[in-house]
Amino acid sequence: MNAQFKKGALEICVLSQLASGDKYGYELTEVISEEMSIATGTLYPILKKLKDDLYVETYLVEAGEGPARKYYHLTEKGRAYQRQQKQEWQAFVKAVERLIG
C-alpha cells in the first residue's frame, strides 16, 4: 500500500478505533496492522499529538505480568473531532472516486 495514502489516513483510523472503545498503544497497532502494514512505533507520535490537542486522555491499567498498560480514551472533544474528520474523509474519498472513475 502506498505510504502516502497510509500517512494521510492513520489519524482518522486511530480516532475511529478509539471511538469504538479504549485501547492501549500496542493493541491499536495490532488492529490497524490487520488492514495495513505499519511499523511498530508509527502510531505513538499520532497518539501524542491527539493527547496534546486534548482529543484523547490516558490512564494506566496494571497488567498481570509486566508493566502497566497506558490506555487511550477519546474525550468529548475527540469524539466531535472524529465525527468531523470521518465526514471530511468520506467526502474526500467520494471526490477521488469521481475523479478516477
Side-chain angles (χ1 to χ4, degrees), residues 9-21 50 54-56 73-90:
L10 279 176
E11 183 178 278
I12 187 63
C13 291
V14 168
L15 288 164
S16 295
Q17 287 302 306
L18 292 175
S20 69
L50 293 173
L54 306 177
Y55 296 134
V56 300
H73 169 80
L74 275 186
T75 62
E76 284 306 313
K77 181 180 177 182
R79 289 188 183 286
Y81 182 64
Q82 185 271 340
R83 288 189 297 270
Q84 179 238 340
Q85 291 297 305
K86 183 177 177 182
Q87 288 175 343
E88 288 185 24
W89 178 260
Q90 289 170 332

Side-chain angles (χ1 to χ4, degrees), residues 12-82:
I12 187 63
C13 291
V14 168
L15 288 164
S16 295
Q17 287 302 306
L18 292 175
S20 69
D22 299 358
K23 292 180 178 55
Y24 58 96
Y26 182 76
E27 182 180 18
L28 275 169
T29 299
E30 288 296 302
V31 168
I32 292 172
S33 290
E34 289 176 10
E35 299 296 330
M36 64 179 83
S37 175
I38 58 171
T40 303
T42 301
L43 299 184
Y44 291 100
I46 294 168
L47 290 165
K48 181 184 180 328
K49 179 189 176 300
L50 293 173
K51 185 176 180 195
D52 290 348
D53 292 341
L54 306 177
Y55 296 134
V56 300
E57 299 170 329
T58 61
Y59 61 93
L60 294 176
V61 174
E62 291 299 322
E65 294 182 19
R69 291 180 175 161
K70 183 190 290 188
Y71 277 79
Y72 294 85
H73 169 80
L74 275 186
T75 62
E76 284 306 313
K77 181 180 177 182
R79 289 188 183 286
Y81 182 64
Q82 185 271 340

